[in-house]
Amino acid sequence: MDQSMDTIVIRGGKPLSGTISISGAKNAALPLMAASLLTPETVVLENIPVLGDIRTLADVLEELGVEIGGNGSGGEGGLELTAGHIEDTTAPYELVRKMRASVLVLGPLLARFGTAKVSLPGGCAIGTRPVDLHIRALEQMGAEIKLQDGYIQAAAPQGLKGADIRFPAVTVGGTENILMAATLARGVTVIENAAREPEVTALADCLVAMGANISGMGSERIVIQGVDQLGGARFTNISDRIEAGSYAVAAGLTDGDVILEGANAAHMEAVIEALRRAGIQIEDVPGGLRVRRNGGSLRGIDLTTQPYPGFPTDMQAQMMVLMAIADGASRITEQIFENRFMHVPELARMGADITVHGGAALVRGVDYLIGAPVMATDLRASVSLVLAGLVADGETVVNRVYHLDRGYERLEEKLSWCGADIKRITE
Ligand code: EPZ
């Protein structure tokens, strides 16, 4: 079914109340799936969400020869991946262009097979997003890499060797690619200025379950002692901290009272702290988090996006909606991506007062937002428009719903169970 023409229609003003169950983390699931390329044995992943991006990476892996069983693209029962017979180590443009994270197959392919040809992902809506840091680090590990015809052509005929790698900037995908590559390299690899995101740690934990020798995950210095081979494992994915944060904003925006079942507060400290400063109450409850506003007013706060444990760029658009109707002014500074304010003109069409100067947005709180037809060009911008719709007067129609389907599992179901007036219209 072509979902590209679907729309989501929201009538705002309903306070959310009830329980939302948080899905497995998309951005952890993707590297976990790529890690299956490191072994001929079966890797079983539990708590993988059913999402467009998961399906896209499953397509890339199947193209390479990985057998996918269990629940094909995630969901109940676990996803089983077996890279027993890899026929070809090429990840083609037609698949990689759909999702940049496909580049995560580069490190594992090169480490296990000594060769890989992966399409350069190119730019995307939120910026140019190069992969130069991945490439430079693999070269330090002895890979010969050519960029030709839009492809990264990598070879390591003698296998990869351990290296001391210091990333000049924190890169989540770069850290993940090198972490995977280093598990099968000869000798010790040290990654300095490593990404500390919980998704990176989840990947390291899964690699250890597969037989890798890794220490320091979760810190800025990860040490990997290469091993000859890895084996199968069963691993349960972490819950999605960005999905949880998005629904926490929804509860706060609508003056609701919501339990986020399965949310992991330890992964959300910066977001929880920001929400509290903005006037939202968050407390630990057994198995999750309770989020409510208790009728209080929302306060404008200043925010700057940073690598973990700082405030995540993937929550910036959602927080901006909260600030749009908060008391006073807020400054939101985006430091990770150069072009991540595409939601601003759409929010302005709903009555928000926001001006962007370079990498910072000045948000002056207004009394209310007004429903409008809107669309966005990336996942988090799209969800911010849904959030705005939940609190806006009248009807909001969100177009280009396929962006939401890439990263939010059963979005309209989860919200309507809590009383939101939201429905999907399928053309
Ligand atoms: C991951 O992207 C996430 N994606 C993104 O989530 C997230 O926004 C981002 O990390 C930052 O937290 C996945 O995990 C699949 P980076 P990634 O490498 O790994 C620059 C979402 O909405 N850079 O940490 O691609 C880069 O351009 C998505 O779920 C280089 O210059 O991000 C960016 O400015 C969107 N050269 C910064 O570093 C490189 O070789 C951080 O990027 C690599 C990165």
Side-chain angles (χ1 to χ4, degrees), residues 26-27 30 100-101 104 126 128-134 169-174 176 197 241 313-314 336-338 340 378-380:
K26 166 180 82 82
N27 288 348
L30 296 169
R100 297 179 41 82
L104 289 171
I126 59 180
T128 50
R129 300 184 72 185
V131 288
D132 56 315
L133 302 177
H134 305 226
V170 177
T171 162
V172 174
E176 290 165 345
E197 271 68 2
R241 64 194 168 101
T313 173
D314 289 346
I336 307 295
F337 292 109
E338 73 262 32
R340 210 174 193 181
D378 91 297
L379 172 59
R380 310 303 171 185

PDB file of all heavy atoms in Angstrom, residues 26-27 30 100-101 104 126 128-134 169-174 176 197 241 313-314 336-338 340 378-380, ligand 1:
ATOM      1  N   LYS A  26      14.031   3.008  17.681  1.00  0.00           N
ATOM      2  CA  LYS A  26      14.412   2.916  16.263  1.00  0.00           C
ATOM      3  C   LYS A  26      15.927   3.047  16.091  1.00  0.00           C
ATOM      4  O   LYS A  26      16.549   2.261  15.374  1.00  0.00           O
ATOM      5  CB  LYS A  26      13.716   4.035  15.468  1.00  0.00           C
ATOM      6  CG  LYS A  26      14.297   4.243  14.073  1.00  0.00           C
ATOM      7  CD  LYS A  26      13.606   5.348  13.311  1.00  0.00           C
ATOM      8  CE  LYS A  26      14.064   6.748  13.623  1.00  0.00           C
ATOM      9  NZ  LYS A  26      15.306   7.174  12.921  1.00  0.00           N
ATOM     10  N   ASN A  27      16.514   4.052  16.724  1.00  0.00           N
ATOM     11  CA  ASN A  27      17.924   4.346  16.455  1.00  0.00           C
ATOM     12  C   ASN A  27      18.886   3.383  17.144  1.00  0.00           C
ATOM     13  O   ASN A  27      20.093   3.442  16.907  1.00  0.00           O
ATOM     14  CB  ASN A  27      18.246   5.797  16.815  1.00  0.00           C
ATOM     15  CG  ASN A  27      17.632   6.758  15.803  1.00  0.00           C
ATOM     16  OD1 ASN A  27      17.178   6.331  14.744  1.00  0.00           O
ATOM     17  ND2 ASN A  27      17.623   8.037  16.131  1.00  0.00           N
ATOM     18  N   LEU A  30      18.413  -0.081  14.482  1.00  0.00           N
ATOM     19  CA  LEU A  30      19.116  -0.070  13.185  1.00  0.00           C
ATOM     20  C   LEU A  30      20.545  -0.606  13.308  1.00  0.00           C
ATOM     21  O   LEU A  30      20.918  -1.535  12.591  1.00  0.00           O
ATOM     22  CB  LEU A  30      19.063   1.327  12.561  1.00  0.00           C
ATOM     23  CG  LEU A  30      17.637   1.801  12.202  1.00  0.00           C
ATOM     24  CD1 LEU A  30      17.635   3.282  11.833  1.00  0.00           C
ATOM     25  CD2 LEU A  30      17.057   0.972  11.056  1.00  0.00           C
ATOM     26  N   ARG A 100      19.643   7.175   5.428  1.00  0.00           N
ATOM     27  CA  ARG A 100      21.083   7.334   5.614  1.00  0.00           C
ATOM     28  C   ARG A 100      21.704   6.275   6.508  1.00  0.00           C
ATOM     29  O   ARG A 100      22.865   5.915   6.329  1.00  0.00           O
ATOM     30  CB  ARG A 100      21.358   8.688   6.250  1.00  0.00           C
ATOM     31  CG  ARG A 100      20.961   9.863   5.437  1.00  0.00           C
ATOM     32  CD  ARG A 100      21.290  11.103   6.225  1.00  0.00           C
ATOM     33  NE  ARG A 100      22.586  10.936   6.873  1.00  0.00           N
ATOM     34  CZ  ARG A 100      23.739  11.128   6.263  1.00  0.00           C
ATOM     35  NH1 ARG A 100      23.772  11.555   5.037  1.00  0.00           N
ATOM     36  NH2 ARG A 100      24.872  10.918   6.911  1.00  0.00           N
ATOM     37  N   ALA A 101      20.929   5.784   7.484  1.00  0.00           N
ATOM     38  CA  ALA A 101      21.497   4.827   8.436  1.00  0.00           C
ATOM     39  C   ALA A 101      21.939   3.531   7.757  1.00  0.00           C
ATOM     40  O   ALA A 101      22.636   2.718   8.366  1.00  0.00           O
ATOM     41  CB  ALA A 101      20.489   4.533   9.549  1.00  0.00           C
ATOM     42  N   LEU A 104      25.416   2.068   7.993  1.00  0.00           N
ATOM     43  CA  LEU A 104      25.878   1.237   9.114  1.00  0.00           C
ATOM     44  C   LEU A 104      26.289  -0.170   8.686  1.00  0.00           C
ATOM     45  O   LEU A 104      26.862  -0.910   9.475  1.00  0.00           O
ATOM     46  CB  LEU A 104      24.777   1.137  10.184  1.00  0.00           C
ATOM     47  CG  LEU A 104      24.510   2.418  10.973  1.00  0.00           C
ATOM     48  CD1 LEU A 104      23.265   2.272  11.836  1.00  0.00           C
ATOM     49  CD2 LEU A 104      25.718   2.774  11.838  1.00  0.00           C
ATOM     50  N   ILE A 126      17.757  17.635   6.774  1.00  0.00           N
ATOM     51  CA  ILE A 126      18.271  18.386   7.920  1.00  0.00           C
ATOM     52  C   ILE A 126      19.719  18.824   7.770  1.00  0.00           C
ATOM     53  O   ILE A 126      20.288  19.394   8.677  1.00  0.00           O
ATOM     54  CB  ILE A 126      18.078  17.619   9.254  1.00  0.00           C
ATOM     55  CG1 ILE A 126      18.782  16.264   9.260  1.00  0.00           C
ATOM     56  CG2 ILE A 126      16.600  17.441   9.547  1.00  0.00           C
ATOM     57  CD1 ILE A 126      18.608  15.496  10.570  1.00  0.00           C
ATOM     58  N   THR A 128      23.722  18.556   5.229  1.00  0.00           N
ATOM     59  CA  THR A 128      24.525  17.817   4.258  1.00  0.00           C
ATOM     60  C   THR A 128      24.913  16.432   4.780  1.00  0.00           C
ATOM     61  O   THR A 128      25.018  15.485   4.019  1.00  0.00           O
ATOM     62  CB  THR A 128      25.798  18.591   3.890  1.00  0.00           C
ATOM     63  OG1 THR A 128      26.430  18.983   5.104  1.00  0.00           O
ATOM     64  CG2 THR A 128      25.487  19.809   3.066  1.00  0.00           C
ATOM     65  N   ARG A 129      25.135  16.318   6.057  1.00  0.00           N
ATOM     66  CA  ARG A 129      25.396  15.047   6.736  1.00  0.00           C
ATOM     67  C   ARG A 129      26.402  14.137   6.029  1.00  0.00           C
ATOM     68  O   ARG A 129      26.068  13.056   5.556  1.00  0.00           O
ATOM     69  CB  ARG A 129      24.080  14.302   6.983  1.00  0.00           C
ATOM     70  CG  ARG A 129      23.131  15.097   7.840  1.00  0.00           C
ATOM     71  CD  ARG A 129      21.870  14.346   8.175  1.00  0.00           C
ATOM     72  NE  ARG A 129      22.084  13.266   9.136  1.00  0.00           N
ATOM     73  CZ  ARG A 129      21.129  12.421   9.498  1.00  0.00           C
ATOM     74  NH1 ARG A 129      19.924  12.524   8.968  1.00  0.00           N
ATOM     75  NH2 ARG A 129      21.367  11.475  10.374  1.00  0.00           N
ATOM     76  N   PRO A 130      27.652  14.553   5.988  1.00  0.00           N
ATOM     77  CA  PRO A 130      28.675  13.713   5.363  1.00  0.00           C
ATOM     78  C   PRO A 130      28.995  12.478   6.211  1.00  0.00           C
ATOM     79  O   PRO A 130      28.591  12.390   7.370  1.00  0.00           O
ATOM     80  CB  PRO A 130      29.894  14.630   5.297  1.00  0.00           C
ATOM     81  CG  PRO A 130      29.687  15.625   6.384  1.00  0.00           C
ATOM     82  CD  PRO A 130      28.203  15.798   6.531  1.00  0.00           C
ATOM     83  N   VAL A 131      29.718  11.516   5.622  1.00  0.00           N
ATOM     84  CA  VAL A 131      30.191  10.337   6.372  1.00  0.00           C
ATOM     85  C   VAL A 131      31.716  10.281   6.361  1.00  0.00           C
ATOM     86  O   VAL A 131      32.309   9.229   6.501  1.00  0.00           O
ATOM     87  CB  VAL A 131      29.586   9.015   5.837  1.00  0.00           C
ATOM     88  CG1 VAL A 131      28.124   8.903   6.201  1.00  0.00           C
ATOM     89  CG2 VAL A 131      29.772   8.878   4.337  1.00  0.00           C
ATOM     90  N   ASP A 132      32.346  11.464   6.206  1.00  0.00           N
ATOM     91  CA  ASP A 132      33.807  11.528   6.135  1.00  0.00           C
ATOM     92  C   ASP A 132      34.473  10.957   7.385  1.00  0.00           C
ATOM     93  O   ASP A 132      35.540  10.350   7.304  1.00  0.00           O
ATOM     94  CB  ASP A 132      34.257  12.977   5.899  1.00  0.00           C
ATOM     95  CG  ASP A 132      33.715  13.940   6.957  1.00  0.00           C
ATOM     96  OD1 ASP A 132      32.511  13.839   7.280  1.00  0.00           O
ATOM     97  OD2 ASP A 132      34.487  14.767   7.466  1.00  0.00           O
ATOM     98  N   LEU A 133      33.850  11.138   8.537  1.00  0.00           N
ATOM     99  CA  LEU A 133      34.481  10.669   9.778  1.00  0.00           C
ATOM    100  C   LEU A 133      34.480   9.138   9.852  1.00  0.00           C
ATOM    101  O   LEU A 133      35.428   8.530  10.352  1.00  0.00           O
ATOM    102  CB  LEU A 133      33.786  11.271  11.007  1.00  0.00           C
ATOM    103  CG  LEU A 133      33.770  12.807  11.054  1.00  0.00           C
ATOM    104  CD1 LEU A 133      33.002  13.306  12.274  1.00  0.00           C
ATOM    105  CD2 LEU A 133      35.198  13.363  11.072  1.00  0.00           C
ATOM    106  N   HIS A 134      33.427   8.509   9.323  1.00  0.00           N
ATOM    107  CA  HIS A 134      33.394   7.039   9.264  1.00  0.00           C
ATOM    108  C   HIS A 134      34.556   6.564   8.376  1.00  0.00           C
ATOM    109  O   HIS A 134      35.280   5.635   8.712  1.00  0.00           O
ATOM    110  CB  HIS A 134      32.105   6.514   8.619  1.00  0.00           C
ATOM    111  CG  HIS A 134      30.814   6.977   9.227  1.00  0.00           C
ATOM    112  ND1 HIS A 134      29.773   6.112   9.497  1.00  0.00           N
ATOM    113  CD2 HIS A 134      30.376   8.192   9.608  1.00  0.00           C
ATOM    114  CE1 HIS A 134      28.745   6.776  10.000  1.00  0.00           C
ATOM    115  NE2 HIS A 134      29.086   8.046  10.069  1.00  0.00           N
ATOM    116  N   ALA A 169      34.759  15.224  16.053  1.00  0.00           N
ATOM    117  CA  ALA A 169      33.435  15.661  16.519  1.00  0.00           C
ATOM    118  C   ALA A 169      32.675  14.398  16.900  1.00  0.00           C
ATOM    119  O   ALA A 169      32.960  13.323  16.371  1.00  0.00           O
ATOM    120  CB  ALA A 169      32.695  16.396  15.400  1.00  0.00           C
ATOM    121  N   VAL A 170      31.731  14.533  17.819  1.00  0.00           N
ATOM    122  CA  VAL A 170      30.977  13.348  18.241  1.00  0.00           C
ATOM    123  C   VAL A 170      30.061  12.908  17.109  1.00  0.00           C
ATOM    124  O   VAL A 170      29.296  13.706  16.574  1.00  0.00           O
ATOM    125  CB  VAL A 170      30.133  13.649  19.497  1.00  0.00           C
ATOM    126  CG1 VAL A 170      29.297  12.423  19.871  1.00  0.00           C
ATOM    127  CG2 VAL A 170      31.025  14.056  20.656  1.00  0.00           C
ATOM    128  N   THR A 171      30.174  11.648  16.726  1.00  0.00           N
ATOM    129  CA  THR A 171      29.284  11.103  15.708  1.00  0.00           C
ATOM    130  C   THR A 171      28.707   9.768  16.181  1.00  0.00           C
ATOM    131  O   THR A 171      29.463   8.850  16.507  1.00  0.00           O
ATOM    132  CB  THR A 171      29.984  10.963  14.333  1.00  0.00           C
ATOM    133  OG1 THR A 171      29.225  10.051  13.518  1.00  0.00           O
ATOM    134  CG2 THR A 171      31.415  10.475  14.425  1.00  0.00           C
ATOM    135  N   VAL A 172      27.392   9.706  16.214  1.00  0.00           N
ATOM    136  CA  VAL A 172      26.708   8.498  16.675  1.00  0.00           C
ATOM    137  C   VAL A 172      26.955   7.365  15.678  1.00  0.00           C
ATOM    138  O   VAL A 172      27.476   6.302  16.028  1.00  0.00           O
ATOM    139  CB  VAL A 172      25.193   8.763  16.836  1.00  0.00           C
ATOM    140  CG1 VAL A 172      24.444   7.480  17.177  1.00  0.00           C
ATOM    141  CG2 VAL A 172      24.956   9.825  17.904  1.00  0.00           C
ATOM    142  N   GLY A 173      26.612   7.594  14.420  1.00  0.00           N
ATOM    143  CA  GLY A 173      26.768   6.552  13.408  1.00  0.00           C
ATOM    144  C   GLY A 173      28.231   6.180  13.203  1.00  0.00           C
ATOM    145  O   GLY A 173      28.556   5.005  13.011  1.00  0.00           O
ATOM    146  N   GLY A 174      29.120   7.155  13.255  1.00  0.00           N
ATOM    147  CA  GLY A 174      30.552   6.886  13.093  1.00  0.00           C
ATOM    148  C   GLY A 174      31.054   5.988  14.218  1.00  0.00           C
ATOM    149  O   GLY A 174      31.771   5.011  13.985  1.00  0.00           O
ATOM    150  N   GLU A 176      29.290   3.940  15.953  1.00  0.00           N
ATOM    151  CA  GLU A 176      28.685   2.607  15.790  1.00  0.00           C
ATOM    152  C   GLU A 176      29.395   1.796  14.700  1.00  0.00           C
ATOM    153  O   GLU A 176      29.676   0.609  14.869  1.00  0.00           O
ATOM    154  CB  GLU A 176      27.191   2.752  15.478  1.00  0.00           C
ATOM    155  CG  GLU A 176      26.411   3.267  16.688  1.00  0.00           C
ATOM    156  CD  GLU A 176      25.009   3.769  16.367  1.00  0.00           C
ATOM    157  OE1 GLU A 176      24.688   4.000  15.178  1.00  0.00           O
ATOM    158  OE2 GLU A 176      24.222   3.968  17.314  1.00  0.00           O
ATOM    159  N   GLU A 197      25.636   7.998  23.484  1.00  0.00           N
ATOM    160  CA  GLU A 197      24.195   7.759  23.400  1.00  0.00           C
ATOM    161  C   GLU A 197      23.837   6.344  23.869  1.00  0.00           C
ATOM    162  O   GLU A 197      24.576   5.394  23.592  1.00  0.00           O
ATOM    163  CB  GLU A 197      23.734   7.939  21.938  1.00  0.00           C
ATOM    164  CG  GLU A 197      23.321   9.344  21.531  1.00  0.00           C
ATOM    165  CD  GLU A 197      24.458  10.370  21.477  1.00  0.00           C
ATOM    166  OE1 GLU A 197      25.623  10.004  21.716  1.00  0.00           O
ATOM    167  OE2 GLU A 197      24.168  11.546  21.211  1.00  0.00           O
ATOM    168  N   ARG A 241      13.752   6.530  23.713  1.00  0.00           N
ATOM    169  CA  ARG A 241      13.728   7.723  24.568  1.00  0.00           C
ATOM    170  C   ARG A 241      13.157   8.927  23.829  1.00  0.00           C
ATOM    171  O   ARG A 241      12.627   9.849  24.453  1.00  0.00           O
ATOM    172  CB  ARG A 241      15.131   8.021  25.117  1.00  0.00           C
ATOM    173  CG  ARG A 241      16.152   8.372  24.053  1.00  0.00           C
ATOM    174  CD  ARG A 241      17.585   8.324  24.562  1.00  0.00           C
ATOM    175  NE  ARG A 241      18.508   8.381  23.426  1.00  0.00           N
ATOM    176  CZ  ARG A 241      19.155   9.473  23.039  1.00  0.00           C
ATOM    177  NH1 ARG A 241      19.023  10.611  23.707  1.00  0.00           N
ATOM    178  NH2 ARG A 241      19.954   9.444  21.997  1.00  0.00           N
ATOM    179  N   THR A 313      19.088  16.627  19.869  1.00  0.00           N
ATOM    180  CA  THR A 313      18.553  17.314  18.692  1.00  0.00           C
ATOM    181  C   THR A 313      17.231  16.681  18.238  1.00  0.00           C
ATOM    182  O   THR A 313      16.361  17.378  17.713  1.00  0.00           O
ATOM    183  CB  THR A 313      19.572  17.304  17.529  1.00  0.00           C
ATOM    184  OG1 THR A 313      18.950  17.844  16.362  1.00  0.00           O
ATOM    185  CG2 THR A 313      20.054  15.909  17.185  1.00  0.00           C
ATOM    186  N   ASP A 314      17.069  15.386  18.480  1.00  0.00           N
ATOM    187  CA  ASP A 314      15.847  14.711  18.038  1.00  0.00           C
ATOM    188  C   ASP A 314      14.622  15.109  18.863  1.00  0.00           C
ATOM    189  O   ASP A 314      13.507  14.679  18.557  1.00  0.00           O
ATOM    190  CB  ASP A 314      16.032  13.184  18.071  1.00  0.00           C
ATOM    191  CG  ASP A 314      16.969  12.687  16.976  1.00  0.00           C
ATOM    192  OD1 ASP A 314      17.267  13.467  16.045  1.00  0.00           O
ATOM    193  OD2 ASP A 314      17.409  11.528  17.050  1.00  0.00           O
ATOM    194  N   ILE A 336      23.698  20.521  16.470  1.00  0.00           N
ATOM    195  CA  ILE A 336      24.105  19.252  15.843  1.00  0.00           C
ATOM    196  C   ILE A 336      23.938  19.311  14.319  1.00  0.00           C
ATOM    197  O   ILE A 336      24.817  18.889  13.583  1.00  0.00           O
ATOM    198  CB  ILE A 336      23.309  18.056  16.427  1.00  0.00           C
ATOM    199  CG1 ILE A 336      23.406  18.039  17.961  1.00  0.00           C
ATOM    200  CG2 ILE A 336      23.787  16.733  15.822  1.00  0.00           C
ATOM    201  CD1 ILE A 336      24.790  17.800  18.525  1.00  0.00           C
ATOM    202  N   PHE A 337      22.799  19.825  13.870  1.00  0.00           N
ATOM    203  CA  PHE A 337      22.550  19.887  12.424  1.00  0.00           C
ATOM    204  C   PHE A 337      22.345  21.343  12.007  1.00  0.00           C
ATOM    205  O   PHE A 337      21.767  22.135  12.739  1.00  0.00           O
ATOM    206  CB  PHE A 337      21.325  19.053  12.050  1.00  0.00           C
ATOM    207  CG  PHE A 337      21.555  17.582  12.238  1.00  0.00           C
ATOM    208  CD1 PHE A 337      20.932  16.891  13.262  1.00  0.00           C
ATOM    209  CD2 PHE A 337      22.433  16.889  11.410  1.00  0.00           C
ATOM    210  CE1 PHE A 337      21.160  15.535  13.449  1.00  0.00           C
ATOM    211  CE2 PHE A 337      22.671  15.538  11.594  1.00  0.00           C
ATOM    212  CZ  PHE A 337      22.031  14.857  12.615  1.00  0.00           C
ATOM    213  N   GLU A 338      22.795  21.658  10.792  1.00  0.00           N
ATOM    214  CA  GLU A 338      22.782  23.071  10.375  1.00  0.00           C
ATOM    215  C   GLU A 338      21.416  23.531   9.873  1.00  0.00           C
ATOM    216  O   GLU A 338      21.171  24.709   9.765  1.00  0.00           O
ATOM    217  CB  GLU A 338      23.874  23.333   9.324  1.00  0.00           C
ATOM    218  CG  GLU A 338      23.615  22.785   7.945  1.00  0.00           C
ATOM    219  CD  GLU A 338      24.301  21.444   7.691  1.00  0.00           C
ATOM    220  OE1 GLU A 338      24.461  20.649   8.631  1.00  0.00           O
ATOM    221  OE2 GLU A 338      24.672  21.192   6.540  1.00  0.00           O
ATOM    222  N   ARG A 340      18.021  22.368  10.856  1.00  0.00           N
ATOM    223  CA  ARG A 340      16.971  21.573  11.470  1.00  0.00           C
ATOM    224  C   ARG A 340      15.854  22.439  12.036  1.00  0.00           C
ATOM    225  O   ARG A 340      15.326  22.181  13.116  1.00  0.00           O
ATOM    226  CB  ARG A 340      17.541  20.659  12.548  1.00  0.00           C
ATOM    227  CG  ARG A 340      16.707  19.401  12.639  1.00  0.00           C
ATOM    228  CD  ARG A 340      17.225  18.352  13.553  1.00  0.00           C
ATOM    229  NE  ARG A 340      16.494  17.103  13.301  1.00  0.00           N
ATOM    230  CZ  ARG A 340      16.676  15.981  13.940  1.00  0.00           C
ATOM    231  NH1 ARG A 340      17.586  15.914  14.888  1.00  0.00           N
ATOM    232  NH2 ARG A 340      15.961  14.913  13.638  1.00  0.00           N
ATOM    233  N   ASP A 378      10.993  16.076   7.573  1.00  0.00           N
ATOM    234  CA  ASP A 378      11.702  15.027   8.315  1.00  0.00           C
ATOM    235  C   ASP A 378      10.851  14.561   9.479  1.00  0.00           C
ATOM    236  O   ASP A 378       9.804  15.143   9.795  1.00  0.00           O
ATOM    237  CB  ASP A 378      13.117  15.490   8.722  1.00  0.00           C
ATOM    238  CG  ASP A 378      13.166  16.145  10.087  1.00  0.00           C
ATOM    239  OD1 ASP A 378      12.537  17.206  10.274  1.00  0.00           O
ATOM    240  OD2 ASP A 378      13.816  15.597  10.984  1.00  0.00           O
ATOM    241  N   LEU A 379      11.332  13.495  10.068  1.00  0.00           N
ATOM    242  CA  LEU A 379      10.562  12.778  11.069  1.00  0.00           C
ATOM    243  C   LEU A 379      10.185  13.625  12.285  1.00  0.00           C
ATOM    244  O   LEU A 379       9.018  13.696  12.683  1.00  0.00           O
ATOM    245  CB  LEU A 379      11.427  11.580  11.487  1.00  0.00           C
ATOM    246  CG  LEU A 379      10.998  10.730  12.641  1.00  0.00           C
ATOM    247  CD1 LEU A 379       9.636  10.140  12.358  1.00  0.00           C
ATOM    248  CD2 LEU A 379      12.030   9.616  12.830  1.00  0.00           C
ATOM    249  N   ARG A 380      11.184  14.252  12.903  1.00  0.00           N
ATOM    250  CA  ARG A 380      10.892  14.966  14.163  1.00  0.00           C
ATOM    251  C   ARG A 380      10.121  16.247  13.900  1.00  0.00           C
ATOM    252  O   ARG A 380       9.299  16.663  14.723  1.00  0.00           O
ATOM    253  CB  ARG A 380      12.178  15.240  14.936  1.00  0.00           C
ATOM    254  CG  ARG A 380      13.082  14.026  15.119  1.00  0.00           C
ATOM    255  CD  ARG A 380      12.421  12.845  15.816  1.00  0.00           C
ATOM    256  NE  ARG A 380      13.291  11.663  15.758  1.00  0.00           N
ATOM    257  CZ  ARG A 380      12.943  10.453  16.193  1.00  0.00           C
ATOM    258  NH1 ARG A 380      11.733  10.227  16.702  1.00  0.00           N
ATOM    259  NH2 ARG A 380      13.777   9.449  16.103  1.00  0.00           N
TER     260      ARG A 380
HETATM  261  C1  EPZ B   1      22.040   9.774  14.561  1.00  0.00           C
HETATM  262  O1  EPZ B   1      22.356  10.204  13.238  1.00  0.00           O
HETATM  263  C2  EPZ B   1      20.540   9.571  14.592  1.00  0.00           C
HETATM  264  N1  EPZ B   1      20.179   8.571  13.606  1.00  0.00           N
HETATM  265  C3  EPZ B   1      19.813  10.881  14.317  1.00  0.00           C
HETATM  266  O2  EPZ B   1      18.415  10.671  14.451  1.00  0.00           O
HETATM  267  C4  EPZ B   1      20.270  11.908  15.355  1.00  0.00           C
HETATM  268  O3  EPZ B   1      19.676  13.150  15.074  1.00  0.00           O
HETATM  269  C5  EPZ B   1      21.792  12.038  15.336  1.00  0.00           C
HETATM  270  O4  EPZ B   1      22.401  10.732  15.536  1.00  0.00           O
HETATM  271  C6  EPZ B   1      22.329  12.966  16.409  1.00  0.00           C
HETATM  272  O5  EPZ B   1      21.920  12.521  17.669  1.00  0.00           O
HETATM  273  C7  EPZ B   1      20.347   7.276  13.884  1.00  0.00           C
HETATM  274  O6  EPZ B   1      20.793   6.887  14.952  1.00  0.00           O
HETATM  275  C8  EPZ B   1      19.922   6.302  12.841  1.00  0.00           C
HETATM  276  P1  EPZ B   1      25.888  11.923  13.783  1.00  0.00           P
HETATM  277  P2  EPZ B   1      23.868  10.206  12.723  1.00  0.00           P
HETATM  278  O7  EPZ B   1      26.854  11.140  12.954  1.00  0.00           O
HETATM  279  O8  EPZ B   1      24.585   9.047  13.310  1.00  0.00           O
HETATM  280  C9  EPZ B   1      28.201  15.429  11.415  1.00  0.00           C
HETATM  281  C10 EPZ B   1      16.133  10.781  13.809  1.00  0.00           C
HETATM  282  O9  EPZ B   1      15.303  11.724  13.682  1.00  0.00           O
HETATM  283  N2  EPZ B   1      29.006  14.372  10.799  1.00  0.00           N
HETATM  284  O10 EPZ B   1      26.006  11.880  15.249  1.00  0.00           O
HETATM  285  O11 EPZ B   1      23.838  10.335  11.245  1.00  0.00           O
HETATM  286  C11 EPZ B   1      26.742  15.364  10.962  1.00  0.00           C
HETATM  287  O12 EPZ B   1      26.565  15.979   9.719  1.00  0.00           O
HETATM  288  C12 EPZ B   1      17.558  10.903  13.302  1.00  0.00           C
HETATM  289  O13 EPZ B   1      15.828   9.691  14.334  1.00  0.00           O
HETATM  290  C13 EPZ B   1      30.057  14.687   9.960  1.00  0.00           C
HETATM  291  O14 EPZ B   1      30.344  15.864   9.703  1.00  0.00           O
HETATM  292  O15 EPZ B   1      24.390  11.548  13.364  1.00  0.00           O
HETATM  293  C14 EPZ B   1      26.055  16.061  12.103  1.00  0.00           C
HETATM  294  O16 EPZ B   1      26.137  17.445  11.927  1.00  0.00           O
HETATM  295  C15 EPZ B   1      17.785  12.152  12.540  1.00  0.00           C
HETATM  296  N3  EPZ B   1      30.785  13.681   9.383  1.00  0.00           N
HETATM  297  C16 EPZ B   1      26.877  15.649  13.322  1.00  0.00           C
HETATM  298  O17 EPZ B   1      28.147  15.232  12.799  1.00  0.00           O
HETATM  299  C17 EPZ B   1      30.538  12.358   9.651  1.00  0.00           C
HETATM  300  O18 EPZ B   1      31.234  11.491   9.094  1.00  0.00           O
HETATM  301  C18 EPZ B   1      26.286  14.499  14.154  1.00  0.00           C
HETATM  302  O19 EPZ B   1      25.946  13.430  13.294  1.00  0.00           O
HETATM  303  C19 EPZ B   1      29.477  12.036  10.516  1.00  0.00           C
HETATM  304  C20 EPZ B   1      28.735  13.056  11.102  1.00  0.00           C
END
